[in-house]
Amino acid sequence: ILNGVVDIYLSQNQIQLSSAAGDAALWLNEQLVELKKKLESSEQALYDYKRGNSILSVSLDDQSNMFRAEIQQLTVSLTQAKARRQQILSRYRLLDQVKAGPSGSLPAKELLESAVLQQLRVELLAVTKELESLKGEGKGENHPQVSAAQGRKDATGEALKREVKNVQAAMKKELVAVNAEIGGLEELAQNAHERALNVNELEIEFKRLARTRDTNERLLSLVTERAKESDLERMLRVNNLRVIDRPVLPTRPVSPRLSLNLAAGAMGGLLLGFLFAFGREQLDRTLSSPDDIHTILHEPFLGLLPRHHQEKKEKGRNLRRGQKQTGDSEVEDALELVVHASSKSQLAEAARRIRTNIVFSSPDRPPRSLLITSASAGDGKTTVATWVATTIAQSGESVVLIDCDMRRPRLHRVFQLPNQLGVSSLLVSPEKMNDALVKSPVKNLTLLPSGPLPPNPSELFHSVAFQELLVTLTERFDRVIIDSPPLAPVTDSAVIAAHVDGVLMVTWAKKTQKELARRALASLHDVGANILGVVLNAVDLRDARYGQRYDYYSYYGSTYGESESQDPPTKTL
């Protein structure tokens, strides 16, 4: 069937080509007659125009060149005549200013060209010199010789003036002649310019007729050639198609190629997945993993705190059952007290890990005073400060937790304490130390609220009274934990950092900006603070990027709490 279709297609194509060639030849022959008439008409029009305007075949270009040369020569002559007129005017004005006398002067050009002027000038100079000599001998104005010399001088001066006037009159005549010459040259130039424009106008119409004649001639030649080719194609009966390969019976399917398509799909999926992961990583401007702490901030990583899931539910369940914690005091339903309420939860284990890293960050001399801050507000620094202070207190050391956030203090609300006395009060009245320190529900943990908010917190922390307060608390307690404002908006934390043994910065996973964290650490380095490391807060341990190192947290938390599959909607720290 396919071979029959091919043969019929070849035959039909040849018939169509022959028919098309015959139709084309017929149409082209008709066009030849019309084109011959147009060519003859255009040639006759060009001949009539040349004859009517007395134009030779090569005369237009020659006439244009002749007029161009004539105009150029007239322009040069006219310029020279105008320059000569200006020169004559200058000489005339200069001679008009000449005064005869001993000091009179004439242009050098006039002296050289006029022998009479030159002789009169010499005589005038001689008689002037003679008169000066007689006067120098002491002879008066009425002396005969002086009178005679004066008379000769006056006569010579008058003669010189008359000769100058004669030269000026000659120059006037020459000026008239030059003006007449300039007028004639300008008239000749105008006539030549008009004749050149007339030739250009004739040339425009001539070239238009010549282009029409040339176009018709080219069309006639092209159509004649195509008509001959069409006649040859009709006689030769040439087919422009040929069979490259005859169809054969297929033994296997040509498409689809299942294995190749699967391999290409798999490779394409892997490539797109890699590109998506790489692009997402490059576009992420936040700190999201412990590796970011090392590679971007270049600071030690002290640990991470998992995202808060079932810990608050477990704490609430213990409270509903009436359980009592260490110290026989009922724990408030606050997020900052989760480590105390659920000592075996994920958060408690993570907080104890951070406590261990802080202690062993400097084994020979563990930090007695510790400042806990963050780059921006909302990173959980107050929560982390409470957890770290709780875990250290649970280890048996006496701890004081100080609220130095004079902008937005929170510790007194967390522990539901009054805020009438605190840090700001002790800086003014140190004797109220015992009244300001408050015991917390956590054993060995003492609280020092912020107290009344001052108008200038930064200057307050610069004072000597604050430094003395830190020294007093360090001597009284084993550990001093300070909760301070974020570093980005205010400088309070940087001021306090210069007076403590170590600084711990808190970052929020997938929220804290990398550049903001770098600037915060730079402000700490500027004051010479001892940065112990960075804590990564609100980490989702189910994320694969945190590796198998933290799988134990999930297992441990599920053992003492509810199943991970039964978690409520996520609530971050």
Side-chain angles (χ1 to χ4, degrees):
I1 292 175
L2 290 177
N3 282 322
V5 171
V6 169
D7 294 336
I8 294 175
Y9 180 71
L10 293 174
S11 176
Q12 290 293 325
N13 183 70
Q14 188 174 13
I15 294 173
Q16 290 178 0
L17 288 177
S18 299
S19 177
D23 295 340
L26 180 62
W27 181 82
L28 290 172
N29 289 326
E30 293 176 354
Q31 294 299 315
L32 282 175
V33 177
E34 297 294 332
L35 288 175
K36 286 180 181 179
K37 293 180 180 180
K38 289 183 179 180
L39 179 59
E40 292 174 357
S41 176
S42 60
E43 289 176 342
Q44 186 63 36
L46 180 61
Y47 172 75
D48 294 340
Y49 182 78
K50 291 169 63 177
R51 185 172 181 176
N53 293 280
S54 301
I55 300 175
L56 299 177
S57 298
V58 295
S59 64
L60 285 176
D61 292 339
D62 293 341
Q63 290 181 15
S64 298
N65 294 333
M66 181 182 64
F67 288 142
R68 188 181 302 109
E70 183 180 353
I71 291 173
Q72 183 177 5
Q73 181 63 34
L74 289 173
T75 302
V76 172
S77 300
L78 182 61
T79 303
Q80 292 175 352
K82 290 181 178 180
R84 191 164 65 256
R85 180 179 63 182
Q86 186 64 34
Q87 182 180 7
I88 294 171
L89 283 173
S90 300
R91 291 170 56 195
Y92 179 81
R93 292 167 182 169
L94 187 63
L95 286 174
D96 193 42
Q97 298 175 359
V98 173
K99 295 180 181 179
S103 59
S105 61
L106 288 173
K109 180 177 179 66
E110 304 303 330
L111 290 174
L112 294 176
E113 292 181 354
S114 177
V116 176
L117 284 176
Q118 187 175 6
Q119 181 180 359
L120 290 173
R121 181 176 174 81
V122 171
E123 292 178 359
L124 180 63
L125 292 176
V127 71
T128 302
K129 185 177 180 182
E130 180 183 357
L131 183 61
E132 291 177 353
S133 176
L134 292 173
K135 290 181 178 181
E137 293 176 357
K139 296 176 180 181
E141 296 288 340
N142 297 323
H143 193 276
Q145 294 181 351
V146 174
S147 298
Q150 184 67 41
R152 289 196 303 274
K153 179 180 179 181
D154 294 339
T156 304
E158 291 297 328
L160 182 62
K161 289 181 179 181
R162 288 194 299 271
E163 186 61 26
V164 168
K165 290 181 179 180
N166 293 334
V167 174
Q168 288 179 335
M171 286 185 180
K172 284 184 178 180
K173 295 179 180 179
E174 186 177 359
L175 185 61
V176 172
V178 170
N179 287 331
E181 181 183 357
I182 291 174
L185 290 174
E186 289 178 345
E187 184 177 358
L188 290 175
Q190 182 66 26
N191 294 333
H193 185 71
E194 291 178 357
R195 283 181 291 160
L197 291 177
N198 293 332
V199 170
N200 290 337
E201 186 177 358
L202 293 176
E203 186 179 7
I204 292 173
E205 182 64 19
F206 175 80
K207 288 184 177 180
R208 186 185 66 79
L209 294 173
R211 283 197 302 271
T212 304
R213 189 270 317 270
D214 295 340
T215 301
N216 292 332
E217 187 176 359
R218 285 195 298 270
L219 285 175
L220 179 61
S221 176
L222 179 62
V223 172
T224 302
E225 183 179 357
R226 290 296 299 161
K228 292 180 179 179
E229 291 179 357
S230 298
D231 291 336
L232 290 175
E233 290 177 0
R234 182 176 56 182
M235 290 185 294
L236 292 176
R237 298 180 64 84
V238 176
N239 196 343
N240 61 347
L241 297 178
R242 65 188 180 90
V243 179
I244 298 176
D245 190 11
R246 289 287 177 175
V248 296
L249 183 65
T251 59
R252 62 180 183 275
V254 177
S255 177
R257 302 178 65 178
L258 185 59
S259 58
L260 180 61
N261 292 345
L262 289 176
M267 292 299 295
L270 289 175
L271 179 60
L272 290 176
F274 173 76
L275 291 177
F276 175 76
F278 180 76
R280 182 178 179 184
E281 184 68 21
Q282 292 299 317
L283 293 175
D284 187 8
R285 301 174 58 189
T286 61
L287 300 170
S288 55
S289 68
D291 293 335
D292 292 343
I293 306 301
H294 294 291
T295 59
I296 297 174
L297 302 183
H298 305 291
E299 295 293 343
F301 174 65
L302 296 182
L304 55 78
L305 294 170
R307 191 182 287 259
H308 181 57
H309 290 293
Q310 82 267 8
E311 284 78 3
K312 191 169 183 179
K313 288 182 63 178
E314 180 182 350
K315 179 193 66 174
R317 184 177 66 245
N318 293 338
L319 292 176
R320 287 193 298 272
R321 291 176 181 175
Q323 295 180 0
K324 299 295 181 178
Q325 304 299 329
T326 305
D328 293 333
S329 62
E330 185 175 355
V331 181
E332 298 291 342
D333 189 13
L335 180 61
E336 287 78 1
L337 300 179
V338 169
V339 172
H340 176 62
S342 303
S343 60
K344 294 183 179 181
S345 63
Q346 288 181 345
L347 293 176
E349 290 298 328
R352 282 191 284 271
R353 181 184 182 90
I354 295 173
R355 177 198 64 188
T356 303
N357 291 336
I358 292 173
V359 173
F360 285 96
S361 63
S362 180
D364 297 334
R365 188 179 178 183
R368 294 285 303 280
S369 56
L370 177 64
L371 173 69
I372 298 180
T373 184
S374 62
S376 59
D379 287 343
K381 58 176 182 56
T382 301
T383 304
V384 175
T386 306
W387 291 348
V388 171
T390 300
T391 55
I392 295 177
Q394 289 174 350
S395 67
E397 298 184 10
S398 59
V399 181
V400 58
L401 179 58
I402 307 175
D403 191 351
C404 285
D405 190 349
M406 298 296 178
R407 316 282 178 165
R408 294 181 179 178
R410 287 188 59 241
L411 285 179
H412 67 281
R413 292 199 299 269
V414 171
F415 291 93
Q416 297 183 0
L417 299 174
N419 197 29
Q420 284 75 19
L421 291 178
V423 176
S424 59
S425 305
L426 295 181
L427 296 181
V428 180
S429 304
E431 66 276 2
K432 298 180 180 180
M433 175 74 73
N434 294 330
D435 297 332
L437 295 174
V438 181
K439 290 292 184 180
S440 72
V442 183
K443 185 179 180 180
N444 299 326
L445 178 61
T446 304
L447 302 175
L448 180 58
S450 64
L453 301 183
N456 52 349
S458 298
E459 287 75 5
L460 199 68
F461 297 132
H462 271 294
S463 63
V464 177
F466 179 73
Q467 299 179 27
E468 293 176 351
L469 176 63
L470 288 181
V471 173
T472 302
L473 293 174
T474 304
E475 294 174 351
R476 184 168 179 175
F477 296 91
D478 296 331
R479 304 284 179 184
V480 177
I481 309 297
I482 302 175
D483 177 27
S484 65
L487 288 162
V490 294
T491 61
D492 299 359
S493 298
V495 175
I496 301 173
H499 306 302
V500 297
D501 297 337
V503 179
L504 175 67
M505 194 173 84
V506 179
T507 59
W508 188 285
K510 299 182 180 180
K511 175 186 173 184
T512 303
Q513 299 290 326
K514 299 175 183 178
E515 186 61 29
L516 190 62
R518 277 198 290 260
R519 290 201 299 266
L521 289 172
S523 64
L524 293 175
H525 285 295
D526 291 341
V527 298
N530 179 25
I531 302 176
L532 301 179
V534 180
V535 170
L536 192 62
N537 191 12
V539 173
D540 189 357
L541 297 180
R542 294 171 295 185
D543 194 335
R545 74 177 66 189
Y546 300 106
Q548 298 179 356
R549 295 177 295 175
Y550 303 100
D551 288 347
Y552 180 72
Y553 279 152
S554 300
Y555 169 77
Y556 191 71
S558 299
T559 302
Y560 290 91
E562 296 179 5
S563 171
E564 287 292 326
S565 61
Q566 298 175 349
D567 283 346
T570 301
K571 179 179 179 183
T572 57
L573 300 182

